[in-house]
Amino acid sequence: MSRLFGTDGVRGLANGVLTAELALQLAQAAAVVLGHDRTPDGKRPRAVVARDPRASGEFIAAAVEAGLSSSGIDVYDAGVLPTPAAAYLVADLKADFGVMISASHNPAPDNGIKFFARGGHKLPDEVEDAIEHQLTLEPSRPTGGDVGRIQRFSDAEDRYIVHLLGTLPNRLEGLKVVLDCAHGAASGCSPQVFKDAGAQVYVIGAEPDGLNINDGVGSTHLDELKEAVVAKGADLGIAHDGDADRCLAVDHEGNEVDGDQIMAILALALKESGGLKDDVLVATVMSNLGLKIALRKAGISIRQTAVGDRYVLEEMRDGGYSLGGEQSGHVIFSDFATTGDGVLTGLQIAAQVARTGKTLKELATCMTKLPQVMINVKGVDKTRAATDQGVASAVAAAESELGDTGRVLLRPSGTEPLVRVMVEAADMATAQRICEELAAVVKNRLAIPAELTV
């Protein structure tokens, strides 16, 4: 039986994979694993529940809250909020755990359930496994005064906004900012906090109807934001995804500024202010080599992790590091958050533009992105990618040719029978050629026989 939890909670087609029944059962299981006994003053365990604005989030939230309260957990229903807001509120309320209902950047028909432990931290694999095992056991069924109660968390968004404003190193007066909220969970709080911080704000993608989340807008669809920034004569644009745990940016000319460039800008700013712990940035193996080269010149080293913000978070917690993230725009400030926060990241980028008087385009020149090509090689035995000698020899030859001017990364997919081949080089033609050559070797060496693919 395959593992129910993926890289970021339980996710799938709402009412297909993720049913109301499964949501209720997951909540009951989580109540046993994450809920603690009554406090010394006799209070029941508490959980924060939030969701993004997908239509299916309404019935899934109802099922989750029913499962929790029927298992003796008091529930704070925080309504529609970004994922990082839910994590923050778990810590702020000193709740026992939290539940976020969202499928992030996925289309509207999908949904997901992720849990936060006490303090707003993501769950380690062993705790997710314990919840999954608990699904096979009887749930807790208290009666009478031991059942949990559900109450609306009416000031949840206000608390989160006050928290975000408290992270700013300086105000944003004089800046024109376009926000693309992906018709998602940040549609209310992101425009409000930027206005409160002093910026002149223009907003797109902030009219969620339950079905339009991430539909042609947000961090995975930047064209509308680019056009809006140029048309409004704005200083920059900020794009969130559906649950606002990531942020990409656009400069005043409409050029994309990705997560690597954002991390470079913020790492340099934190080092300058003395806030970059041990002069270390934590990033995944997918981050552009140009990031490492630029930061090395500034005396900043990079700790690399596997792909996934959970691995970035683990490395940051283990080393006590202050900044980390992914090329996709998950950026984590451990001084202010326990997970990636797109609104927080957007504020910090805007603050640097305001503080320095430089354009975002100028700030982004602190690193030069090397051309990067990736090919997904399908229909191969990904389990042999790390051990096949022919593949290893081809990789070694490519690395020898690239030297210090590029790199090679072969990575088996976590969910599909394919291997991702990624090559960076000093020029696009070289990256394309070497990537295609390696992809051909992987295809020939690791191909699954036709009779086994039927």
Side-chain angles (χ1 to χ4, degrees), residues 272-301:
E272 180 183 345
S273 67
L276 188 65
K277 173 72 168 11
D278 293 342
D279 291 338
V280 167
L281 171 73
V282 180
T284 76
V285 294
M286 290 303 293
S287 276
N288 194 278
L289 180 59
L291 175 64
K292 183 176 183 178
I293 293 171
L295 294 187
R296 185 170 57 204
K297 291 178 181 177
I300 299 171
S301 60

Side-chain angles (χ1 to χ4, degrees), residues 414-443:
T415 57
E416 302 173 80
L418 59 83
V419 172
R420 306 189 197 282
V421 180
M422 189 273 284
V423 174
E424 289 174 346
D427 62 87
M428 181 58 76
T430 301
Q432 188 71 43
R433 173 180 59 81
I434 292 178
C435 194
E436 290 176 355
E437 291 172 354
L438 286 176
V441 172
V442 170
K443 183 68 173 177

Side-chain angles (χ1 to χ4, degrees), residues 148-209:
R149 306 297 296 272
I150 301 172
Q151 61 179 298
R152 182 76 174 94
F153 193 174
S154 58
D155 66 339
E157 185 171 273
D158 291 338
R159 286 193 186 211
Y160 177 55
I161 288 173
V162 169
H163 161 66
L164 291 173
L165 290 171
T167 71
L168 278 171
N170 51 268
R171 300 274 299 169
L172 307 183
E173 271 84 9
L175 284 190
K176 293 182 180 180
V177 181
V178 181
L179 300 175
D180 182 349
C181 299
H183 297 309
S187 295
C189 63
S190 187
Q192 187 61 55
V193 74
F194 273 86
K195 290 174 184 175
D196 289 349
Q200 183 177 344
V201 177
Y202 305 96
V203 185
I204 64 175
E207 298 178 357
D209 62 9

